[in-house]
Amino acid sequence: MQSAPSWQRFPTAGKNACIGWHILKASSGFYLDPNDCAVAKLARNERRDQHWVRQGIRAGIIKPDVVERRMTRAPFLDAKERNRAAASLEIQAAWATAFQ
């Protein structure tokens, strides 16, 4: 069983991987950029991660070209993991667009 992803697994580590939001100066927060999250999910590549990425592409939240570019900067464990993630992205993008 693999450990949970850490900040180092994202293409842009730490707070730079987050997008901030503010509401009337009373509330603020951060959320992870969906494309960076997709890179980490494709690296893990479990069935639920594939589904998450595919649905994000279908909804227009995840952009395959952005994910592909960010994969070039992501710290994968090895070339095998990087190649598997790239192949999975291609499959998820094809599936997502085929059924729209």
Side-chain angles (χ1 to χ4, degrees):
M1 181 173 202
Q2 295 181 350
S3 62
S6 68
W7 281 115
Q8 291 77 29
R9 299 281 300 184
F10 296 110
T12 51
K15 218 173 187 180
N16 293 333
C18 296
I19 298 170
W21 57 270
H22 306 282
I23 300 174
L24 302 175
K25 297 184 182 180
S27 180
S28 64
F30 293 92
Y31 64 93
L32 183 62
D33 178 87
N35 296 295
D36 284 340
C37 191
V39 172
K41 286 185 167 291
L42 290 166
R44 186 170 60 183
N45 205 33
E46 290 180 1
R47 180 178 221 136
R48 62 185 173 184
D49 299 318
Q50 295 167 359
H51 177 77
W52 189 91
V53 171
R54 185 170 52 244
Q55 295 306 319
I57 294 169
R58 286 184 73 194
I61 297 168
I62 295 173
K63 308 291 184 207
D65 58 323
V66 173
V67 174
E68 189 174 6
R69 279 195 310 273
R70 294 199 182 162
M71 281 183 171
T72 64
R73 300 189 322 254
F76 289 94
L77 295 176
D78 54 26
K80 183 179 177 181
E81 183 183 59
R82 181 184 306 275
N83 294 339
R84 185 184 70 221
S88 184
L89 174 62
E90 188 175 323
I91 291 166
Q92 303 317 315
W95 191 94
T97 56
F99 295 101
Q100 286 189 359

